[in-house]
């Protein structure tokens, strides 16, 4: 099915470990986004990529890096995980000039102990 | 800067009763507005959107919302809810003039439909 695929779905890390969250879309969308969702705080934008080859910081970029590998893939890396990064992470995509709304992945639930 | 406020963190309502979920936004320029629904352990799905034109917009699953520019509101309504509507609902706003297509989300309203 067309859409946004995120891997892994669940992950437990120890403080200081690193990991990469993967996201891929097959809708030929230009723009991709990473959000984190925390109870009572809604979704907050971490990084986004308006088009292939560009990335920009969102509201809460500290502690994260991203790579727009190609038009389909947009990865989020935690270099040294901290308990404050325990969250549910969502990837989304949208077409340029397209206000039909984001298409979201199903999320990655990350716990840092 | 733009912002979105969802004042109600939780809304309990009995099945077949009407419901209104409130959303207010703050922006000095024109905005586009969205409502998303998130069922447990799932991603977000678009319910409806307001871009321009008629201020009353209809979405999926019998939901509708009304854009009120003077009150800077975009409240979501359903005349008769079902158990299956139990979910978290997010209001979101974006500024088309920014060209970035970034959305700002509210903190969410958890709708609990009671039998």
């Amino acid at each position: 099915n067309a859409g946004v695929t995120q891997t892994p779905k669940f992950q437990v890390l120890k403080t200081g470990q690193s990991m990469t969250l993967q996201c891929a879309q097959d809708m030929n969308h230009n723009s991709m986004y990473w959000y984190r969702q925390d109870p009572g705080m809604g979704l907050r934008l971490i990084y986004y990529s308006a088009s292939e080859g560009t990335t920009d910081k969102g509201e809460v970029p500290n502690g994260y890096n991203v790579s727009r590998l190609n038009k389909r893939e947009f990865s989020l890396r935690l270099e040294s995980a901290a308990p404050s990064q325990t969250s549910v992470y969502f990837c989304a995509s949208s077409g340029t000039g397209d206000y039909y709304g984001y298409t979201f992945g199903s999320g990655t639930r990350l716990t840092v102990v | 800067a733009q912002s979105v406020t969802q004042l109600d963190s939780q809304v309990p309502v009995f099945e077949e009763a009407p419901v209104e979920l409130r959303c207010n936004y703050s922006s000095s320029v024109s905005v586009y507005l969205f409502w998303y629904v998130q069922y447990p352990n799932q991603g977000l799905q678009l319910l409806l959107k307001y871009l321009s034109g008629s201020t009353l917009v209809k979405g999926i699953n019998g939901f509708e919302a009304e854009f009120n520019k003077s009150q800077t509101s975009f409240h979501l309504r359903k005349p008769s809810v079902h158990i299956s509507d139990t979910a978290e609902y997010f209001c979101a706003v974006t500024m088309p003039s920014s060209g970035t297509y970034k959305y700002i989300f509210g903190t969410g309203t958890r709708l609990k439909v009671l039998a």
Side-chain angles (χ1 to χ4, degrees):
Chain A
N1 293 333
V4 178
T5 303
Q6 288 183 238
T7 56
K9 292 190 183 301
F10 302 94
Q11 184 71 48
V12 178
L13 288 179
K14 293 182 179 179
T15 297
Q17 286 185 318
S18 63
M19 79 162 294
T20 300
L21 281 63
Q22 307 286 354
C23 176
Q25 53 91 9
D26 58 6
M27 296 168 288
N28 202 35
H29 283 167
N30 286 316
S31 302
M32 298 185 73
Y33 313 83
W34 277 105
Y35 284 86
R36 60 178 289 174
Q37 182 181 23
D38 302 290
M41 303 190 75
L43 281 80
R44 293 179 293 168
L45 182 63
I46 305 171
Y47 271 94
Y48 68 101
S49 171
S51 61
E52 185 179 356
T54 68
T55 60
D56 287 286
K57 295 179 181 179
E59 183 184 355
V60 289
N62 291 344
Y64 305 95
N65 285 301
V66 290
S67 295
R68 184 73 183 268
L69 305 170
N70 48 55
K71 192 171 185 179
R72 289 187 63 246
E73 299 172 287
F74 188 39
S75 62
L76 178 71
R77 183 162 178 82
L78 287 69
E79 291 291 352
S80 179
S84 61
Q85 294 178 304
T86 292
S87 186
V88 181
Y89 291 86
F90 286 101
C91 178
S93 69
S94 68
T96 300
D98 172 6
Y99 286 104
Y100 293 102
Y102 290 177
T103 300
F104 280 87
S106 57
T108 296
R109 188 174 295 274
L110 175 67
T111 302
V112 183
V113 298
Chain B
Q2 51 182 164
S3 65
V4 177
T5 302
Q6 293 181 249
L7 287 173
D8 305 307
S9 60
Q10 295 188 68
V11 174
V13 62
F14 285 104
E15 192 174 19
E16 298 184 5
V19 69
E20 178 180 85
L21 306 183
R22 296 181 293 167
C23 172
N24 288 89
Y25 68 92
S26 173
S27 177
S28 59
V29 298
S30 64
V31 296
Y32 292 163
L33 294 153
F34 305 81
W35 274 100
Y36 283 81
V37 60
Q38 183 181 32
Y39 298 105
N41 300 313
Q42 295 186 26
L44 280 72
Q45 302 173 33
L46 180 67
L47 264 182
L48 50 78
K49 63 184 182 291
Y50 172 78
L51 305 184
S52 64
S54 173
T55 57
L56 182 64
V57 292
K58 295 187 183 297
I60 62 172
N61 301 338
F63 283 93
E64 63 182 31
E66 185 160 18
F67 172 60
N68 188 318
K69 188 174 181 179
S70 63
Q71 297 187 8
T72 60
S73 67
F74 190 55
H75 300 333
L76 181 70
R77 302 186 184 102
K78 187 170 183 179
S80 176
V81 296
H82 303 290
I83 296 287
S84 59
D85 293 323
T86 294
E88 191 156 20
Y89 293 79
F90 292 92
C91 183
V93 62
T94 189
M95 294 189 303
S97 60
S98 73
T100 64
Y101 311 103
K102 291 188 297 180
Y103 291 16
I104 304 297
F105 285 86
T107 52
T109 298
R110 195 172 297 275
L111 175 64
K112 174 75 170 176
V113 181
L114 308 169

